[in-house]
């Protein structure tokens, strides 16, 4: 067992875990942050993507111990109170989700994509960058639309800040 | 229409919880005292279980119990059943091999459970499972249809000689023989419909909680039809009496058919909770999902079509072998028979059809309904045939189709189905226009001059949705009725609750069903709550599959609404001192026609519950129930056309354009409908290009993770160009037909037809991987 200190959604926490424990399980089991999902065993599907120190990470690929001292943001931590993150709003407005299971990981990956491309994105780039996230419901059509829409919204919101 | 009524692309009510991470799936649920189950699964495709030693495992930390297949048999838990009885052509019933929830003696596919460890934590259960020693005697396995039906092949079930489940037929053999005798041309094809894993992103999960004080079971499960789960678990499996079993399916993360059936894990969890006195949770990992979620498709067929000298179809003869895997799953028997062969007329006037279907046991995961279920197999066969015929007859594929289209309705096919309405020419026209079909020859010639291979492929599909009526399906062997129920409750303050037996696993029922109410009563959808997925709340239902939710479930809501409206009008008329016949409902107001007298819905509702001033003899309250049994299937149809380029050097295909023109009848929420089509197209294209559940010659699955099974990713697919033509379904009060499966039914043939056009070689099987396409181009064996 090890004690891991980290920050989750802006709150400093400490947790005792078996050394083999994955970050995704700490989030789900210890902190009840069940928005981060597990969809596969091989880090292929991306349902578990969270942000660790500002970068998209598959939380099923990271040991909880590796997150010691890190700043972890999950899907529950990106809205500003009742005000949705622009990526969340774009997914809703563009019908970028159906069953909702891959959605938190998709949104977390997509925010990272937009951040890395500073809002300059085209369809081909979005499709390529979504390589690590699988959706079985939407055929990606509306997810791609959502990301491109959010890229514009995030640019606007950044400019306003 | 109102702003939130029928025809409005209203944003989904359910989205907020999903995009904020507040969805509540089974694996998110924790109960006090929860234990965790880990199954011990066979590594062999076919083996005898000689012994299980759990003595070491029982000493491991946190272990509560290790339970075996023999114990579940000793406790008289029933075998899994197949719910649709099919009769062979010789009149004999289908052959059912016994399927205990965990195997006491013989395992028949890799992944079949033989025992389960129950422990305090999931990791403890997994650790202890490593210490359970199972002694197997390996037996020879038959992993595919051809091996299974070979003379002298290993026999899977003593009940099924030759590994044959049934040898069924439909249609008129003599008439087809006559048609071929007078044919000017005959087209023949051998076709394989590849095996697929449904792969909803949410793995299956079950939590069983037995309450000793009440002798009552609660089962949380990832189910598309919780009521049917309860019915089957209680009526056939001797697990719990129906009134002592509550089944809850909360948010369900996709199903595509794979969450229709009852699985062994749900049975074992319920039994183990009773045995241990603790709540038991099991959640599948992805490899378990590949091994145990029931697969789809897996047909091999020989098809022949006869044409007269004017290229009119005279007859169709089909012989199909369908792989059922090791056991007969809940609805499996109906898939290659009444959901497949009855659609072999497609959009065409085919005077004579004869189809034979032999169902076969193999040492593989059971095969059952997957998105479209039987209809994709029928559509693929027919549309590959039509394209191949056009090339053989040297006519344009669209012209050959158009010439043979059914144009007068209702139309009785020779294989049971009576199409109620359609306009197949309109869909074809719309798709051809959208893709600029007329300009394709020029584009192809230009591409050729640049050394590129361009191809176009057409697919004109039809499907049968909202499977019905109950009396008819009962006469064909179905074990359940296929109606739907609904209850409309107007609360005293005028808000409305709809209780429905349909259950959403991503289709947006909470929005679409609320729109039906908004349209009728003029209330915003925010005032309407949809309640589903809990057998303690909703009295009964038949669940969600076969694009039935709106055509059957929505129709039930409308029927219940009509009863509510009738009573509400009586109350309003009484309050307004008017004649009941003069009351009209507009924008949430009950008005006396032609006057300014009105009363708002909340006041009518309040009057119903205060009951201070109701018409004499009227029962207080305002809620009504309806059970709706349709009079016929619905028949969505459309045309998909795909234009793509093949790289001759690598065999890789890339999309130029993909257009879809569908006729789904009335669209309640076009945004949701289009989303459903996108998803279906992705699954159809996935089958055509990428997906294949593969077993080696020993029955070992070699595609048991996302690293081996090629799931379509964003980069594999184009953006789709959709359009709709409309003929209203006359068979239900909404005029709707169903849209959830269309894409998966129609897309595969369009893609393969396009590739075969590009490479000028008709012999190409799915999935058309770059390797296969390269070999097809360069003429070498695969």
């Amino acid at each position: 067992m090890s004690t891991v200190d980290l920050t989750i959604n802006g709150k400093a926490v400490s947790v005792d875990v078996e050394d083999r424990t994955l970050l995704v399980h700490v989030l789900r089991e210890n902190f009840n942050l069940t928005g981060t999902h597990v969809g596969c065993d091989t880090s292929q599907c991306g349902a578990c993507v969270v942000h660790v120190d500002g970068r998209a990470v598959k939380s099923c690929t990271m040991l909880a111990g590796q997150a010691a001292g890190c700043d972890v943001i999950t899907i529950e931590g990106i809205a500003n109170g009742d005000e949705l993150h622009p990526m969340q709003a774009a997914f809703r407005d563009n019908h970028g989700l159906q069953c909702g299971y891959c959605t938190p990981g998709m949104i977390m990956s997509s925010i990272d994509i937009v951040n890395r491309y500073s809002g300059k994105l085209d369809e081909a780039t979005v499709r390529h960058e979504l390589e690590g996230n699988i959706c079985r419901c939407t055929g990606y059509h509306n997810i791609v639309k959502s990301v491109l829409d959010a890229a514009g919204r995030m640019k606007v919101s950044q400019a306003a800040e | 229409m109102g702003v939130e009524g029928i025809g409005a692309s209203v944003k989904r009510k359910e989205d907020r919880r999903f995009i904020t991470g507040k969805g509540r799936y089974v694996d998110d649920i924790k109960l006090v005292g929860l234990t965790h189950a880990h199954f011990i699964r066979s590594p062999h495709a076919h083996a005898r279980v000689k012994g299980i030693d759990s003595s070491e495992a029982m000493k491991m930390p946190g272990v509560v119990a290790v339970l075996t297949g023999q114990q579940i048999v000793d406790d008289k838990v029933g075998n899994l059943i197949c719910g649709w009885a099919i009769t062979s052509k010789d009149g004999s019933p289908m052959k059912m091999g016994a399927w205990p929830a965990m195997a006491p003696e013989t395992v028949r596919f890799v992944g079949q459970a033989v025992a389960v460890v129950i422990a305090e934590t999931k990791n403890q259960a997994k650790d202890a499972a490593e210490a359970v020693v199972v002694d197997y005697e390996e037996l020879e396995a038959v992993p595919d249809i051809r091996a299974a039906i070979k003379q002298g092949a290993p026999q899977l079930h003593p009940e099924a000689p030759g590994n044959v489940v049934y040898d069924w037929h439909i249609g008129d053999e003599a008439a087809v023989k006559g048609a071929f005798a007078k044919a000017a041309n005959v087209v023949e094809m051998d076709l394989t419909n590849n095996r697929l894993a449904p792969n909803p992103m949410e793995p299956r999960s079950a939590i069983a909680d037995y309450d000793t004080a009440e002798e009552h079971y609660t089962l949380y499960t990832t189910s598309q039809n919780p009521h049917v789960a309860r019915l089957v678990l209680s009526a056939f499996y001797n697990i719990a009496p129906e009134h002592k079993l509550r089944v809850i399916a909360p948010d369900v993360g996709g199903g595509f058919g794979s969450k229709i059936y009852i699985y062994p894990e749900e049975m074992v969890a319920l039994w183990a909770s009773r045995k241990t006195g603790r709540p038991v949770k099991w959640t599948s990992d992805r490899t378990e999902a590949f091994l145990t979620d029931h697969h789809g498709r897996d047909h091999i067929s020989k098809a022949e079509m006869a044409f007269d000298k004017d290229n009119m179809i005279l007859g169709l003869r089909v012989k199909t072998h369908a792989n059922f895997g090791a056991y007969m799953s809940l609805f499996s028997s109906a898939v290659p028979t009444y959901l497949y062969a009855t659609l072999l007329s497609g959009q065409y006037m085919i005077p004579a059809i004869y189809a034979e279907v032999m169902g076969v046991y193999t040492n593989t995961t059971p095969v059952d309904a997957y998105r479209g279920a039987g209809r994709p197999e029928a559509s693929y066969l027919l549309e590959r045939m039509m394209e191949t015929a056009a090339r053989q007859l040297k006519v344009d594929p669209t012209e050959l189709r158009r010439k043979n289209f059914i144009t007068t309705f209702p139309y009785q096919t020779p294989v049971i189905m009576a199409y109620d309405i359609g306009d197949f020419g309109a869909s074809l026209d719309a798709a051809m226009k959208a893709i600029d079909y007329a300009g394709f020859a020029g584009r192809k010639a230009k591409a050729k001059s640049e050394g590129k291979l361009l191809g176009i492929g057409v697919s004109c599909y039809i499907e049968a949705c909202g499977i019905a009526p109950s009396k008819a399906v009962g006469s064909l062997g179905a074990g359940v009725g296929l109606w739907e129920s609904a209850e409309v409750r107007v609360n005293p303050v005028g808000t409305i609750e709809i209780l429905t037996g349909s259950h959403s696993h991503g289709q947006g029922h909470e929005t679409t069903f609320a729109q039906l109410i908004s349209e009728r009563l003029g209330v915003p959808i925010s005032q309407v709550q949809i309640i589903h997925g809990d057998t303690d709340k909703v009295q009964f239902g038949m669940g969600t599959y076969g694009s039935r939710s709106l055509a059957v479930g929505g129709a039930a809501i409308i029927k219940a609404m009509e009863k509510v409206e009738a009573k509400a009008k009586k109350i309003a008329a009484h309050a307004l001192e008017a004649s009941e016949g003069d009351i009209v409902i507009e924008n949430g107001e009950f008005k006396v026609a032609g006057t300014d007298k009105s009363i708002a819905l909340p006041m009518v509702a309040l009057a119903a519950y205060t009951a201070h001033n109701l018409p004499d003899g009227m029962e207080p309250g305002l809620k009504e129930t309806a059970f709706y049994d349709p009079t016929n299937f619905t028949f969505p149809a459309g045309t998909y056309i795909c234009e793509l380029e093949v790289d001759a050097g690598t065999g890789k295909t890339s999309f130029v354009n993909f257009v879809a023109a569908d006729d789904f009848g009335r669209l309640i929420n076009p945004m949701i409908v289009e989303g459903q089509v996108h998803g279906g197209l992705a699954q159809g294209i996935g089958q055509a290009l990428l997906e294949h559940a593969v077993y080696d010659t020993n029955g070992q699955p070699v595609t048991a993770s996302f690293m081996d099974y090629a799931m379509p990713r964003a980069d594999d697919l184009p953006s789709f160009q959709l359009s709709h033509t409309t003929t209203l379904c006359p068979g239900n009060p909404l005029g709707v037909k169903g849209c959830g499966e269309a894409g998966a039914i129609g897309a595969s043939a369009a893609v393969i037809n396009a590739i075969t056009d590009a490479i000028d070689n008709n012999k190409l099987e799915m999935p058309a991987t770059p390797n296969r396409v390269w070999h097809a181009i360069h003429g070498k064996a695969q």
Side-chain angles (χ1 to χ4, degrees):
Chain A
M1 294 286 273
S2 304
T3 301
V4 179
D5 299 317
L6 70 167
T7 304
I8 301 176
N9 296 333
K11 193 175 159 194
V13 296
S14 182
V15 60
D16 293 329
V17 294
E18 284 186 272
D19 291 346
R20 61 177 165 174
T21 306
L22 298 168
L23 177 59
V24 65
H25 294 132
V26 166
L27 296 171
R28 289 180 55 81
E29 305 299 329
N30 297 72
F31 297 102
N32 220 21
L33 294 166
T34 53
T36 301
H37 297 145
V38 180
C40 70
D41 331 320
T42 49
S43 297
Q44 301 288 304
C45 82
C48 66
V49 171
V50 299
H51 292 178
V52 176
D53 289 341
R55 296 288 304 266
V57 164
K58 287 178 174 169
S59 61
C60 75
T61 313
M62 190 172 192
L63 292 165
Q66 291 176 291
C70 292
D71 187 9
V72 176
I73 305 287
T74 72
I75 188 71
E76 291 91 346
I78 57 169
N80 181 12
D82 281 345
E83 190 192 334
L84 296 171
H85 186 281
M87 188 63 74
Q88 290 172 308
F91 267 69
R92 179 164 194 264
D93 291 348
N94 293 283
H95 189 33
L97 65 151
Q98 288 180 26
C99 81
Y101 196 80
C102 76
T103 308
M106 279 287 176
I107 288 175
M108 299 309 281
S109 287
S110 300
I111 292 170
D112 187 53
I113 293 167
V114 173
N115 285 341
R116 281 188 285 113
Y117 283 84
S118 309
K120 289 183 214 115
L121 275 172
D122 57 18
E123 182 185 332
T125 308
V126 172
R127 286 185 178 276
H128 182 68
E129 287 284 344
L130 284 174
E131 191 75 356
N133 290 73
I134 299 174
C135 170
R136 193 56 153 168
C137 294
T138 63
Y140 304 99
H141 182 108
N142 285 340
I143 291 178
V144 173
K145 266 173 69 180
S146 303
V147 178
L148 290 170
D149 181 10
R153 298 185 194 206
M154 285 169 68
K155 211 169 164 184
V156 170
S157 72
Q158 277 160 3
E161 277 169 12
Chain B
M1 92 187 169
V3 287
E4 295 186 328
I6 290 173
S9 287
V10 179
K11 306 290 180 240
R12 297 201 319 173
K13 276 160 71 80
E14 46 271 81
D15 282 355
R16 191 169 181 99
R17 68 175 183 272
F18 295 134
I19 57 180
T20 56
K22 303 288 186 200
R24 189 167 178 260
Y25 303 90
V26 174
D27 193 52
D28 300 338
I29 295 167
K30 291 176 184 167
L31 301 180
V32 174
L34 191 63
T35 64
H36 298 264
H38 184 76
F39 284 89
I40 295 166
R41 299 184 180 279
S42 170
H44 306 295
H46 198 190
R48 190 162 293 127
V49 181
K50 293 170 69 182
I52 298 175
D53 181 357
S54 57
S55 53
E56 286 305 311
M58 283 304 296
K59 296 176 202 157
M60 303 269 290
V63 172
V64 175
V66 180
L67 303 170
T68 67
Q70 190 57 53
Q71 283 172 281
I72 203 166
V73 170
D74 291 346
D75 282 358
K76 298 191 169 38
V77 172
N79 292 324
L80 281 94
I81 58 151
C82 176
W84 195 307
I86 300 291
T87 305
S88 286
K89 28 174 129 149
D90 66 3
S92 64
M94 66 184 197
K95 309 295 190 292
M96 287 277 295
W99 185 10
M102 294 192 292
E105 289 169 2
T106 308
V107 287
R108 295 182 177 87
F109 64 97
V110 172
Q112 185 172 7
V114 297
V116 65
V117 179
I118 315 288
E120 299 291 343
T121 72
K122 195 168 181 173
N123 279 340
Q124 286 172 337
K126 283 183 171 179
D127 289 345
E130 296 284 323
V132 176
V133 180
V134 186
D135 184 11
Y136 294 101
E137 178 193 342
E138 214 175 330
L139 303 170
E140 191 186 340
V142 280
D144 67 54
I145 296 166
R146 288 183 181 90
I149 57 174
K150 212 178 252 178
Q151 198 86 25
Q155 297 295 290
L156 268 62
H157 298 281
E159 299 88 347
N163 296 319
V164 174
V165 179
Y166 53 62
D167 188 9
W168 176 89
H169 69 160
I170 192 170
D172 188 335
E173 188 177 15
V176 168
K177 203 172 171 191
F180 277 80
K182 61 181 178 182
N185 285 293
V186 171
V187 180
E188 292 180 19
M189 282 189 94
D190 290 311
L191 294 132
T192 300
N193 207 293
N194 47 320
R195 186 185 185 102
L196 303 175
N199 272 324
M201 293 318 297
E202 178 206 29
R204 285 191 296 118
S205 185
I207 304 173
D209 185 14
Y210 179 68
D211 178 338
T212 47
E214 301 290 335
E215 297 178 326
H216 182 278
Y217 296 82
T218 303
L219 176 69
Y220 301 86
T221 182
T222 48
S223 176
Q224 295 178 217
N225 53 356
H227 288 91
V228 174
R230 185 177 68 156
L231 170 69
V232 173
L233 288 165
S234 60
F236 299 100
Y237 299 158
N238 192 31
I239 283 184
E242 198 167 15
H243 64 300
K244 292 285 190 183
L245 174 60
R246 178 184 187 184
V247 179
I248 302 172
D251 286 328
V252 177
F256 316 112
S258 72
K259 293 172 180 169
I260 299 175
Y261 344 115
I262 312 302
Y263 283 93
E265 293 85 359
E266 291 159 310
M267 297 165 65
V268 171
L270 284 163
W271 170 70
S273 179
R274 168 87 188 257
K275 263 193 125 53
T276 60
R278 301 272 299 271
V280 174
K281 180 186 207 173
W282 168 78
T283 299
S284 169
D285 63 29
R286 184 56 59 180
T287 290
E288 276 183 298
F290 276 105
L291 298 180
T292 66
D293 288 7
H294 297 173
H295 292 170
R297 321 287 191 248
D298 209 347
H299 284 191
I300 49 177
S301 297
K302 184 170 185 57
E304 302 159 90
M305 193 177 263
F307 289 87
D308 72 9
K309 61 178 175 30
D310 297 323
N311 296 336
M312 296 300 290
I313 307 170
L314 295 172
L316 173 68
R317 182 189 286 138
V318 177
K319 169 92 185 174
T320 291
H321 285 86
N323 189 348
F324 281 122
Y327 298 97
M328 292 304 287
S329 173
L330 194 59
F331 291 108
S332 58
S333 58
V335 175
T337 50
Y338 292 110
L339 297 179
Y340 161 72
T342 56
L343 264 294
L344 283 171
S345 194
Q347 299 189 354
Y348 311 107
M349 288 178 287
I350 307 181
I353 298 176
Y354 180 64
E356 297 169 278
V357 180
M358 182 180 279
V360 179
Y361 283 117
T362 62
N363 290 112
T364 59
T365 299
V367 176
D368 203 330
Y370 164 58
R371 202 167 192 167
R375 293 151 287 172
E377 296 91 316
S379 187
Y380 179 72
L381 179 140
L382 205 54
E383 290 306 290
R384 292 278 289 123
M385 285 292 285
M386 290 305 284
E387 200 86 4
T388 302
R391 290 173 200 169
Q392 191 172 318
L393 301 171
K394 300 195 186 318
V395 292
D396 184 275
T398 60
E399 283 314 306
L400 181 67
R401 286 177 168 93
R402 192 187 301 276
K403 181 171 198 159
N404 284 283
F405 275 161
I406 295 160
T407 51
T408 53
F409 296 89
Y411 177 84
Q412 177 64 54
T413 73
V415 279
I416 296 182
M417 292 301 174
Y419 301 158
D420 52 6
I421 199 165
D423 186 348
F424 307 142
S427 298
L428 180 62
D429 289 342
M432 288 172 72
K433 188 173 173 217
I435 207 154
D436 182 19
Y437 191 85
F440 177 74
R443 295 197 293 280
K444 181 158 178 148
K446 182 169 177 293
K448 195 177 176 187
S449 70
E450 294 164 359
K452 293 176 182 170
L453 301 176
L454 209 59
I456 200 161
V458 179
S459 172
C460 298
Y461 76 92
I462 188 165
E463 56 171 325
C465 296
I467 181 167
S470 297
K471 196 172 173 180
V473 296
S475 72
L476 300 176
V480 288
L482 289 165
W483 42 264
E484 195 48 85
S485 80
E487 183 178 325
V488 174
R489 292 180 185 165
V490 182
N491 295 322
V493 290
T495 60
I496 297 165
E497 289 165 288
I498 307 297
L499 290 80
T500 168
S502 301
H503 183 261
S504 175
H505 44 286
Q507 295 90 340
H509 292 176
E510 290 166 52
T511 306
T512 305
F513 289 169
Q515 287 181 258
L516 302 181
I517 304 303
S518 180
E519 176 78 17
R520 294 290 286 248
L521 290 181
V523 298
I525 61 170
S526 60
Q527 285 190 35
V528 184
Q529 182 75 23
I530 306 300
I531 296 164
H532 55 195
D534 183 340
T535 60
D536 262 17
K537 291 182 178 170
V538 180
Q539 194 230 331
F540 214 94
M542 299 308 298
T544 291
Y545 42 85
S547 294
R548 70 191 302 275
S549 291
L550 202 49
V552 190
I557 293 172
I558 292 297
K559 294 288 180 190
M561 268 305 301
E562 285 169 356
K563 295 183 190 177
V564 165
E565 284 174 7
K567 185 170 181 182
K569 280 183 177 175
K570 282 194 174 78
I571 298 169
H574 184 73
L576 297 169
E577 296 176 337
S579 162
E580 190 190 326
D582 291 338
I583 301 291
V584 292
I585 307 171
E586 280 174 21
N587 301 322
E589 301 265 321
F590 289 71
K591 294 182 176 166
V592 181
T595 74
D596 58 358
K597 283 166 64 175
S598 73
I599 178 171
L601 174 67
M603 298 313 293
V604 174
L606 194 62
Y609 287 92
T610 57
H612 296 161
N613 185 24
L614 292 178
D616 286 344
M618 180 182 273
E619 204 178 319
L622 194 53
K623 69 164 190 169
E624 298 287 347
T625 300
F627 284 65
Y628 174 74
D629 199 359
T631 53
N632 193 358
F633 293 79
T634 67
F635 297 96
T639 295
Y640 296 159
I641 307 182
C642 168
E643 184 172 331
L644 50 72
E645 189 187 321
V646 176
D647 184 327
T650 63
K652 185 173 165 36
T653 52
S654 48
F655 288 96
V656 176
N657 202 355
F658 195 111
V659 302
D662 297 287
D663 179 357
F664 299 132
R666 178 169 285 121
L667 306 185
I668 306 301
N669 185 319
M671 176 193 81
I672 289 177
V673 168
E674 296 206 341
Q676 292 280 296
V677 177
H678 296 154
L681 291 174
Q683 294 190 16
I685 293 170
Q687 173 169 26
L689 293 180
L690 298 159
E691 298 184 45
H692 194 186
V694 182
Y695 289 81
D696 74 8
T697 52
N698 298 316
Q700 278 294 332
V702 294
T703 48
S705 80
F706 286 150
M707 297 178 79
D708 313 298
Y709 184 94
M711 284 279 277
R713 291 166 195 270
D715 223 1
D716 297 315
L717 299 167
S719 284
F720 308 108
Q721 203 180 321
L722 269 48
S723 64
H724 305 281
T725 60
T726 304
T727 57
L728 296 179
C729 177
N732 62 62
L734 287 164
V736 298
K737 298 184 181 179
C739 63
E741 297 159 307
I745 291 169
S748 304
V751 174
I752 298 298
N753 286 340
I755 300 175
T756 56
D757 177 49
I759 67 175
D760 196 22
N761 179 353
N762 267 336
K763 289 195 175 12
L764 184 68
E765 287 186 358
M766 299 190 289
T769 59
N771 180 43
R772 279 187 171 161
V773 174
W774 190 91
H775 282 291
I777 295 168
H778 299 280
K780 293 180 186 173
Q782 289 176 39

